[in-house]
Amino acid sequence: EPEVTQTPSHQVTQMGQEVILRCVPISNHLYFYWYRQILGQKVEFLVSFYNNEISEKSEIFDDQFSVERPDGSNFTLKIRSTKLEDSAMYFCASSASSLNQPQHFGDGTRLSIL
Amino acid sequence: EDQVTQSPEALRLQEGESSSLNCSYTVSGLRGLFWYRQDPGKGPEFLFTLYSAGEEKEKERLKATLTKKESFLHITAPKPEDSATYLCAVQTDSSYKLIFGSGTRLLVRP
């Protein structure tokens, strides 16, 4: 069964550094998403991406964050000048369309900021 | 404000003891309600989508139902392998994002 894959599974970074989290969505999907889950809290939406542009973003997704689809298969989340509070699980998801279709999630990247 | 609330926070069952998990929601306009299962250290795994009040979906020991204010996930004769966190999420008709509840941690003891 097709799945969303994310790398790395765990990333440890010093505060102030930049990180890039990588995702390979399901191959025939058109909509891509990033969510995060701080330990003990709800899964929360960051951004959605379609047709090479951001279609929606949350208040969390400020100038510190950016997304890119550098080629036909990868989808990346870049976090600049990382802060301690950026420590969380980051999940990538994809869906065939935005309307009524389920979003399928990867197993996440655990980001630890020291 | 759009909101999703799940109850109980945690549930312990004996193997074979049926029960229900609740997801209540307050949204401006519902496009779909989604149930996911999440195992420790893993991402949410899709289970069901429900679109309109009265709709029901079934998969093995799980059955999801939807009303205008809430959804139930019924677990019939659960097994230890059903132990996981069950997440409810809604998508409104004005947004792409999923709004998640806090989840119900289910433990099924043999």
Side-chain angles (χ1 to χ4, degrees), chain A:
Chain A
E1 184 173 333
E3 58 181 24
V4 176
T5 57
Q6 291 186 243
T7 55
S9 57
H10 190 192
Q11 174 81 45
V12 181
T13 302
Q14 292 290 327
M15 186 171 58
Q17 298 296 305
E18 175 182 288
V19 296
I20 297 176
L21 309 183
R22 303 182 190 279
C23 170
V24 178
I26 295 173
S27 63
N28 63 342
H29 283 186
L30 302 177
Y31 291 80
F32 314 114
Y33 312 84
W34 284 101
Y35 291 80
R36 77 175 185 188
Q37 187 174 29
I38 295 171
L39 188 64
Q41 298 187 21
K42 296 180 181 182
V43 176
E44 51 187 353
F45 170 78
L46 293 177
V47 65
S48 62
F49 191 85
Y50 170 71
N51 199 26
N52 282 320
E53 61 182 29
I54 291 173
S55 47
E56 185 178 359
K57 61 182 181 180
S58 71
E59 292 178 353
I60 302 167
F61 194 89
D62 59 19
D63 293 343
Q64 185 192 2
F65 296 87
S66 61
V67 290
E68 189 179 28
R69 188 153 164 84
D71 53 43
S73 60
N74 290 284
F75 180 51
T76 62
L77 175 68
K78 182 188 291 185
I79 309 175
R80 291 178 283 274
S81 301
T82 50
K83 298 174 280 191
L84 295 176
E85 52 264 39
D86 295 327
S87 296
M89 282 289 286
Y90 287 81
F91 294 109
C92 173
S94 68
S95 64
S97 78
S98 67
L99 299 177
N100 295 351
Q101 292 299 309
Q103 296 176 21
H104 295 271
F105 287 75
D107 282 338
T109 293
R110 180 188 299 178
L111 178 62
S112 299
I113 307 299
L114 304 179

Side-chain angles (χ1 to χ4, degrees), chain B residues 16-35:
Chain B
E17 180 187 2
S18 301
S19 188
S20 296
L21 282 55
N22 178 262
C23 171
S24 62
Y25 61 91
T26 306
V27 296
S28 51
L30 182 70
R31 175 177 291 161
L33 185 142
F34 302 82
W35 282 98

